[in-house]
Amino acid sequence: MSARAVKNRGATAPTVQDVAAAAGVSPMTVSRVLSGGPNVRPEKVQAVMDAASALGYRRNENARSLRPGQRTGLLGVVITNVANPYYAQVQLGVEEIVTSDGMRLLVGNSGEDTERERALVNDFIGRKVDGLIVVPAGGDVAHLRAATAAGVPLVLASRQVDGLDADVVLVDDEGGARDGTAHLLAEGHRRIAFLGNRLSVFTSRRRQEGFERAHREAGVAFDPALVRAGQNDDVAAHDVMIDLLALDDPPTAIFSANNRNTVGVLRALAEHRSAADSMHIVAFDDFELSSLMPFTLSVIEHDPRELGRTAARMVMSRMQADDERESEMIQLPTRFRR
Amino acid sequence: MSARAVKNRGATAPTVQDVAAAAGVSPMTVSRVLSGGPNVRPEKVQAVMDAASALGYRRNENARSLRPGQRTGLLGVVITNVANPYYAQVQLGVEEIVTSDGMRLLVGNSGEDTERERALVNDFIGRKVDGLIVVPAGGDVAHLRAATAAGVPLVLASRQVDGLDADVVLVDDEGGARDGTAHLLAEGHRRIAFLGNRLSVFTSRRRQEGFERAHREAGVAFDPALVRAGQNDDVAAHDVMIDLLALDDPPTAIFSANNRNTVGVLRALAEHRSAADSMHIVAFDDFELSSLMPFTLSVIEHDPRELGRTAARMVMSRMQADDERESEMIQLPTRFRR
DNA sequence: TTGTACGCGTTATCAG
DNA sequence: CTGATAACGCGTACAA
């Protein structure tokens, strides 16, 4: 059978009208049957079912959602970086929850770009999503405020945004970073480098605060020259790490604030085995096979999938028409693993 | 400002009508302006723009797509496992291409379950996606055939399906597996274990064929007791690997057919350091930090993101109304890295 | 250059 | 229990 034989490009999809005609009933009866509506004679139900499957009828969800009071069953998810395994897990957690209600995911990648995030959010609103889960890139939040104003339930994931009243689910960034740093300090390290994203990224700021708090609590001053915030990917982190190793007085331990930085740090250390042997690394975000790494590596674990699930539950609970609760904040725990 | 103050749950979103009224023109003029249509007096254009932004108007894409000849701008993507970093990359590649045309991704996770795949595909068709990219779970393909019959361009990614006439983009599974296995044989290994997914999974079958071909070409018989196909995740692979290590005559090398099995293999070897030291592992699918693993590990690399890009290009080129080409198959190369 | 009328596919309402 | 009618928001065809 050739491609041509089975294609059907021009053919318009069958509609309720077609099914109705084939079943010898009115479109309304078809609609009733397919929506599981009551009060239809069994024989007609059968006729409709037969006609529908014979014609390969599938309800046009877009037309359906046009009617007032109908949901689209779409959830918009805007993520800063889908390729980051961490966020892939978040996406999976979200899907896991909403799929049981027959909802579908409209997924967009912002690439940490506020402008792209704005475009995605606006597009999703235009597609009448029933809710939005956003990992905000930061910067201007007018589009997020607009979403809320448009009555679309919004949940922020991983990152909080100033001046925006919305539900948010976070990881205990500061506490986790504090614990990890405290561990290094307790081991006697006094020159601990910090590698993280730029300070405008919520999680990085919080993790840096935890790093600083641990120092304060231990009564140890940290060297600002060892604090490097601004690496968005592993390549940049690698270069910064090489820099640090070249210092006259290099760090004896590393605190890496996220998995992109960790990858760069480890790659750099692999090129400097001698330095690596005495180096203790504490990494925020666990990653697959981290325990097999040939380094002294401890991780601050947390559960991205659970974060996705939590965000999904929050947004779904907001979809109740009569929901009027104040916005809430949920913080998920971290766990230090030596 | 409290949550309540800014929410607007009941308010219906502004429509062309509202914008028209505010701008003092007819709805048609609004539509023209927003679609970039020609022949509208500049002052009215301005009035419409102002009114639209003042009201926070966003075109209802669902209503728009209802009109004949209009696209939804949606692309359905069905993946077997979003949490697998490999497929996360595929998703990213797809998005990268289609986003430049303003298209959005409807993403679903089938979890290797044909039934869930069917539900997703049917739902996506009902949402009038302009195209579909599916990593098929295998088994019954009636729903995929139905998609094609409904005129929805379909591209299979990673895996081929028998008896279905559709575009497909694959990795050179057999060639890659053959190369990797040949390398082990050339090194003198004679007892090479194979760990892969169940045989009904297209890629695993092809990779196993490559494994066997390399043996035939080298004139070496492989021990069927060392061929273990059926592990879907790293836990199962770990257990199988432990089994293999316990054999009286254990393998001296491992061929792992995918990244899930590789993770399990490495975890098991980490528990048996002595066995690990003499073991050479060849793994299909590269993974982050693979080069830092404290094992003799070679990988068969390929580019999942490029696979996603290719699939996206294929499906987009099929969206031309007059497309009548026969379906095609593109196979992406692999590269062996010692 | 601008406006009116209609229909896309669906379902709520109401009459029968 | 069933069907006719209308309307959801938008864009095309046609009229002005």
Side-chain angles (χ1 to χ4, degrees):
Chain A
M1 198 186 316
S2 84
R4 227 168 304 162
V6 290
K7 288 256 174 81
N8 213 5
R9 186 61 49 63
T12 52
T15 74
V16 262
Q17 310 282 346
D18 303 322
V19 178
V25 298
S26 78
M28 198 50 235
T29 300
V30 174
S31 175
R32 264 192 276 259
V33 170
L34 269 43
S35 305
N39 300 341
V40 181
R41 204 178 307 167
E43 58 214 66
K44 299 219 169 190
V45 172
Q46 196 48 245
V48 168
M49 298 299 250
D50 291 348
S53 76
L55 291 167
Y57 171 77
R58 275 174 296 260
R59 180 170 58 196
N60 183 330
E61 292 297 331
N62 298 331
R64 172 184 157 89
S65 69
L66 210 53
R67 302 304 314 283
Q70 300 282 351
R71 306 218 138 126
T72 55
L74 289 177
L75 178 65
V77 178
V78 181
I79 281 176
T80 49
N81 181 7
V82 193
N84 184 332
Y86 179 81
Y87 289 117
Q89 290 284 339
V90 173
Q91 180 183 328
L92 189 69
V94 172
E95 161 143 11
E96 191 180 321
I97 297 299
V98 304
T99 208
S100 61
D101 276 42
M103 296 194 70
R104 304 299 175 210
L105 256 44
L106 217 37
V107 182
N109 196 58
S110 72
E112 299 285 0
D113 176 357
T114 308
E115 181 50 34
R116 280 194 45 65
E117 176 182 302
R118 193 192 58 73
L120 286 166
V121 166
N122 280 330
D123 183 278
F124 289 176
I125 294 174
R127 293 181 190 280
K128 302 293 166 201
V129 292
D130 295 335
L132 275 169
I133 294 178
V134 176
V135 180
D140 187 36
V141 294
H143 56 290
L144 296 176
R145 195 168 286 122
T148 307
V152 180
L154 167 69
V155 171
L156 302 180
S158 263
R159 304 175 182 176
Q160 174 75 275
V161 152
D162 287 338
L164 183 66
D165 182 40
D167 287 335
V168 53
V169 49
L170 302 175
V171 166
D172 180 13
D173 299 294
E174 206 212 339
R178 183 210 154 276
D179 293 349
T181 308
H183 180 84
L184 291 174
L185 290 165
E187 273 187 338
H189 290 284
R190 287 299 174 266
R191 292 187 58 71
I192 308 173
F194 176 95
L195 282 86
N197 220 318
R198 55 183 207 278
L199 267 176
S200 64
V201 174
F202 181 78
T203 47
S204 272
R205 188 166 62 245
R206 301 221 304 170
R207 291 169 192 181
Q208 187 167 338
E209 279 160 8
F211 173 84
E212 294 176 5
R213 177 152 68 94
H215 279 82
R216 274 199 310 278
E217 288 173 357
V220 175
F222 60 86
D223 182 352
L226 299 183
V227 175
R228 306 294 182 95
Q231 303 79 251
N232 216 343
D233 58 49
D234 60 298
V235 176
H238 167 275
D239 295 348
V240 164
M241 187 64 210
I242 294 289
D243 264 9
L244 289 170
L245 289 173
L247 290 178
D248 289 340
D249 192 5
T252 64
I254 307 290
F255 181 91
S256 167
N258 60 55
N259 69 27
R260 293 303 83 200
N261 274 274
T262 304
V263 169
V265 164
L266 297 181
R267 285 200 205 287
L269 285 174
E271 298 164 10
H272 290 79
R273 280 283 162 195
S274 55
D277 288 343
S278 62
M279 192 76 76
H280 191 156
I281 305 122
V282 168
F284 212 110
D285 297 342
D286 193 10
F287 58 95
E288 197 158 49
L289 299 180
S290 62
S291 61
L292 272 55
M293 282 288 142
F295 299 106
T296 308
L297 173 67
S298 307
V299 298
I300 299 155
E301 305 178 308
H302 47 121
D303 188 345
R305 195 156 161 185
E306 180 58 25
L307 187 132
R309 287 194 207 101
T310 305
R313 287 191 205 100
M314 287 174 101
V315 80
M316 290 186 65
S317 87
R318 289 288 178 189
M319 285 176 202
Q320 317 310 323
D322 57 349
D323 178 87
E324 290 294 347
R325 289 164 298 154
E326 293 290 313
S327 36
E328 75 182 304
M329 192 259 258
I330 295 181
Q331 187 148 284
L332 301 179
T334 62
R335 204 169 70 84
F336 182 78
R337 200 186 72 217
R338 302 185 63 128
Chain B
M1 199 184 318
S2 84
R4 226 167 305 163
V6 291
K7 288 252 176 84
N8 212 5
R9 186 61 49 63
T12 53
T15 75
V16 263
Q17 313 281 346
D18 303 322
V19 178
V25 298
S26 79
M28 197 51 238
T29 301
V30 175
S31 175
R32 265 192 276 262
V33 170
L34 269 42
S35 305
N39 299 341
V40 182
R41 206 177 306 169
E43 58 212 67
K44 298 219 171 189
V45 172
Q46 196 48 246
V48 168
M49 300 298 250
D50 291 349
S53 77
L55 291 168
Y57 171 77
R58 273 171 299 259
R59 181 171 56 196
N60 183 331
E61 293 297 330
N62 298 331
R64 171 187 157 88
S65 70
L66 213 52
R67 303 302 317 281
Q70 300 283 349
R71 310 216 134 126
T72 55
L74 289 176
L75 178 65
V77 178
V78 181
I79 281 176
T80 48
N81 181 6
V82 195
N84 183 331
Y86 180 80
Y87 289 117
Q89 289 283 339
V90 173
Q91 180 182 327
L92 189 68
V94 171
E95 161 143 11
E96 191 180 321
I97 296 298
V98 304
T99 207
S100 60
D101 276 42
M103 296 193 69
R104 304 298 175 210
L105 257 44
L106 218 38
V107 182
N109 197 58
S110 72
E112 299 284 0
D113 176 358
T114 307
E115 182 49 35
R116 281 195 41 65
E117 176 183 302
R118 193 192 58 72
L120 286 166
V121 167
N122 280 330
D123 184 276
F124 289 175
I125 294 175
R127 292 182 190 280
K128 302 294 166 200
V129 292
D130 295 336
L132 275 169
I133 295 177
V134 176
V135 180
D140 187 35
V141 294
H143 56 291
L144 297 176
R145 194 168 286 121
T148 307
V152 180
L154 167 69
V155 172
L156 302 180
S158 264
R159 305 175 182 176
Q160 175 73 277
V161 152
D162 287 338
L164 182 68
D165 183 40
D167 287 334
V168 53
V169 49
L170 301 175
V171 166
D172 180 13
D173 299 294
E174 206 213 339
R178 182 208 154 276
D179 293 350
T181 309
H183 179 84
L184 292 174
L185 290 166
E187 273 187 339
H189 289 285
R190 287 300 174 266
R191 292 188 57 71
I192 308 173
F194 175 96
L195 282 88
N197 219 317
R198 57 185 206 278
L199 268 177
S200 64
V201 174
F202 181 77
T203 47
S204 273
R205 188 165 65 244
R206 302 221 304 170
R207 291 170 192 181
Q208 188 167 340
E209 279 160 8
F211 173 84
E212 294 177 5
R213 178 151 71 93
H215 279 82
R216 274 200 309 280
E217 289 173 355
V220 175
F222 60 87
D223 182 352
L226 300 183
V227 175
R228 305 295 181 94
Q231 303 79 251
N232 216 342
D233 58 50
D234 60 297
V235 176
H238 167 273
D239 295 347
V240 165
M241 187 65 211
I242 295 288
D243 264 8
L244 288 169
L245 290 173
L247 290 179
D248 289 338
D249 193 5
T252 64
I254 307 290
F255 181 91
S256 167
N258 59 55
N259 70 26
R260 293 303 83 202
N261 274 274
T262 304
V263 169
V265 165
L266 297 181
R267 285 200 204 288
L269 285 174
E271 297 164 10
H272 289 78
R273 281 281 162 194
S274 55
D277 287 343
S278 62
M279 191 76 76
H280 190 156
I281 306 121
V282 168
F284 211 110
D285 298 342
D286 193 10
F287 58 95
E288 198 158 47
L289 298 180
S290 62
S291 62
L292 272 56
M293 282 288 143
F295 299 106
T296 308
L297 173 67
S298 308
V299 298
I300 298 157
E301 306 179 307
H302 47 120
D303 188 345
R305 195 156 160 186
E306 179 59 24
L307 188 132
R309 287 194 207 102
T310 305
R313 287 192 205 101
M314 286 175 101
V315 79
M316 290 186 66
S317 86
R318 290 289 178 190
M319 285 175 200
Q320 317 310 322
D322 58 349
D323 178 88
E324 290 295 346
R325 290 164 296 153
E326 295 289 313
S327 39
E328 74 182 305
M329 191 260 258
I330 294 181
Q331 188 149 282
L332 301 179
T334 62
R335 204 169 70 84
F336 181 77
R337 199 186 72 218
R338 304 183 62 129

